[in-house]
Amino acid sequence: MQQPLDAQEIPPGCPAHGNVGNVQLYGPSFGADPDGHYAHLRSFGPSAPVDIAPDVQVELITSYDAALYVLQNPASFVRDSRRWKALNEGRVPADSPALPMMGYRPNALFSDGAAHARLRQAVTDSLATVNELQLVRQTQQSADYLISRFSSEPRGQAEVMADYAQPLPLLVFSELFGCPPDIGDRVIAGISGIFEGTPGADEVLGGALTELIALKRRRPAADLTTRLMEHPAQLTDEEVLHQLVTLLSGGTAPLTAVIGTSSALYLDEEWQSGLPVEDAISQSLWNYAPIANYAAHYPIHDVELGGRVVRANDPVLISFAAANTDPKLTEHRQQLSAKAHLGFGAGPHACPAKDPAFVIAVAAVEALLNRLPDVEMRVPFKTLAWAPSPWSRSLVTVPIRFSPRTVPSMAAGPAQTHAPQQGSGEQHSGAEAPRPRSSSAAQHKGGMFSRFLAWTRGE
């Protein structure tokens, strides 16, 4: 990789500097103005060196065309991070927050060639068995449960990210994996702990998934775990475990971001009334890519990108957020397919779950609008804060208000649904709302998944 940019070359208006002249792509400054950072980086060409974490330098692709070139050129750019030169030479701190995101794991994401093809085929074939109607129903049921936990509160207020967008994908994936209550509780606790940096979370998740795989060996079922295990690729139990971890980590956090951002966009006063939910989700994927900077590639030889030479085995990260908002797309953005964004990646490593993810996101946002017909934002979209993570583009909070109401479990009968509509701010008396159900489900012992399953049974 080229030497870091000389500090004298960086104009005074640069939003942030690394210790050796690089732009820092982390911390409060980046979180407060990610688009300003990307605009500055574009002044150096299609890519520039940045610090993705303290003492961790990568080459960041900010150009849409250059991103496609890297993503679609597996002959020159590979994903196996065991090639990472700085890591192999001991120049990456052992406790670096970049390692959990960039360190090698034996899954399809970090594999190349025949190994990648084998693992990816097992994943895509297994995902293809998911029934779309059933997936919508599972999403709606998870949505109803979560909404039921805050919708009847007298204050008529909630926070979409913590109360809804974060837990919903975890519930859906636990069901898709075929988790029994106790294992599902630990899967959710483990993956949530990993996102939050909780010590020991890796062990909790690994132990839960190991038990799940052993259970499916004894009692196969119609779920993703069993499909992976029975695939003709004959994955080992360890390989199955790592593919499940990839689906969890690569599916739940981005979905949280998309659901939260899309809900906020749709409810914002500047959103054009009458547009479908799908438009809000597409705009979220284009303008606020949930996986902002990721997909480390390693050149197998020195490569020139727009006048900059990227050295062999130095990490090249794709800024999906910057590429999607590349000013060079402005002229023909309207002519591009709605799916031409890089929110799900591109090339041989494009997200294999992009279609189910879109289905879940649409169903989740529509459920929020249907169950709370007068829901509205408490603050304008443009005032919302973004998390300071370099890896994802996710809102910190999405505060909403609504008329209190009760959402019954499906065991008690489906909730009344309405066509999605813009929150009008009108208050409903709620006089015809069903009486609140027994609090026994809320008091059910166990974790989130156990309580969810108890609620679906009307316990």
Side-chain angles (χ1 to χ4, degrees):
M1 188 177 293
Q2 282 191 340
Q3 291 298 312
L5 300 174
D6 191 305
Q8 294 181 349
E9 299 176 12
I10 304 177
C14 175
H17 296 74
N19 292 331
V20 292
N22 288 352
V23 173
Q24 291 182 345
L25 222 67
Y26 59 89
S29 176
F30 172 71
D33 186 22
D35 291 329
H37 284 66
Y38 299 141
H40 171 68
L41 290 171
R42 290 190 186 103
S43 66
F44 300 105
S47 72
V50 305
D51 289 341
I52 199 73
D55 299 317
V56 180
Q57 179 176 307
V58 303
E59 189 79 6
L60 189 74
I61 304 291
T62 58
S63 156
Y64 183 88
D65 290 339
L68 280 179
Y69 173 74
V70 172
L71 293 167
Q72 297 176 342
N73 190 359
S76 297
F77 296 91
V78 299
R79 297 297 302 274
D80 190 336
S81 59
R82 290 174 294 186
R83 304 178 68 102
W84 189 357
K85 185 177 179 181
L87 179 63
N88 292 334
E89 294 177 352
R91 292 186 281 118
V92 176
D95 61 349
S96 173
L99 284 176
M101 303 299 295
M102 296 174 61
Y104 175 78
R105 297 176 187 268
N107 59 31
L109 195 62
F110 292 94
S111 301
D112 301 290
H116 168 255
R118 171 176 168 270
L119 294 173
R120 183 180 175 86
Q121 194 64 51
V123 171
T124 55
D125 289 348
S126 299
L127 287 169
T129 67
V130 176
N131 181 279
E132 183 174 321
L133 293 178
Q134 180 64 18
L135 183 60
V136 170
R137 185 182 184 279
Q138 288 176 330
T139 304
Q140 291 173 338
Q141 195 169 45
S142 298
D144 286 351
Y145 166 68
L146 295 170
I147 295 171
S148 76
R149 300 176 71 191
F150 61 75
S151 61
S152 60
E153 292 292 328
R155 62 194 178 101
Q157 295 184 2
E159 201 289 285
V160 171
M161 298 305 295
D163 297 337
Y164 189 70
Q166 290 173 3
L168 188 146
L170 297 173
L171 293 175
V172 173
F173 273 73
S174 295
E175 275 205 285
L176 288 175
F177 286 4
C179 293
D182 59 328
I183 292 180
D185 288 342
R186 283 180 286 142
V187 165
I188 290 176
I191 193 65
S192 299
I194 289 173
F195 291 146
E196 296 164 3
T198 305
D202 271 322
E203 290 76 11
V204 172
L205 179 60
L209 292 177
T210 297
E211 284 190 36
L212 178 63
I213 293 167
L215 173 65
K216 299 304 176 181
R217 288 285 181 205
R218 299 192 304 271
R219 296 199 299 272
D223 51 54
L224 270 180
T225 307
T226 301
R227 294 288 184 266
L228 277 170
M229 296 169 65
E230 294 180 343
H231 191 272
Q234 297 183 327
L235 273 61
T236 66
D237 285 359
E238 181 185 13
E239 288 175 328
V240 172
L241 185 150
H242 283 288
Q243 309 324 304
L244 292 176
V245 170
T246 302
L247 286 170
L248 273 174
S249 58
T252 56
L255 266 174
T256 289
V258 171
I259 292 168
T261 304
S262 302
S263 298
L265 279 172
Y266 193 92
L267 294 173
D268 187 57
E269 59 186 11
E270 295 185 6
W271 181 257
Q272 184 177 337
S273 179
L275 290 179
V277 166
E278 287 85 350
D279 281 18
I281 293 171
S282 292
Q283 183 169 322
S284 176
L285 290 167
W286 266 110
N287 296 335
Y288 311 99
I291 301 178
N293 306 288
Y294 194 54
H297 288 70
Y298 300 85
I300 62 173
H301 51 76
D302 292 358
V303 178
E304 182 178 344
L305 289 174
R308 288 184 54 77
V309 176
V310 182
R311 303 299 181 188
N313 298 324
D314 282 341
V316 177
L317 262 63
I318 307 297
S319 179
F320 299 106
N324 275 351
T325 55
D326 187 342
K328 293 182 179 179
L329 292 180
T330 303
E331 295 181 5
H332 56 282
R333 170 83 172 262
Q334 297 301 321
Q335 283 71 49
L336 290 174
S337 163
K339 297 181 179 181
H341 60 78
L342 300 180
F344 292 123
H349 284 275
C351 176
K354 59 183 179 180
D355 291 334
F358 197 86
V359 168
I360 293 170
V362 171
V365 177
E366 287 185 342
L368 186 70
L369 302 171
N370 287 335
R371 304 304 185 255
L372 305 173
D374 63 346
V375 63
E376 62 182 8
M377 293 271 286
R378 302 202 322 255
V379 298
F381 179 86
K382 62 185 178 183
T383 67
L384 296 174
W386 298 96
S389 168
W391 313 105
S392 62
R393 185 77 183 269
S394 184
L395 289 166
V396 177
T397 61
V398 178
I400 57 173
R401 58 173 167 251
F402 48 85
S403 296
R405 64 190 63 239
T406 297
V407 176
S409 71
M410 287 194 173
Q416 181 70 31
T417 60
H418 308 272
Q421 56 184 302
Q422 186 78 8
S424 64
E426 297 176 1
Q427 297 298 306
H428 296 262
S429 67
E432 299 179 0
R435 293 177 60 83
R437 297 171 58 246
S438 166
S439 62
S440 61
Q443 297 172 353
H444 191 280
K445 292 183 178 180
M448 181 194 299
F449 195 57
S450 291
R451 295 193 295 271
F452 163 66
L453 293 178
W455 184 84
T456 63
R457 296 190 294 265
E459 296 178 1

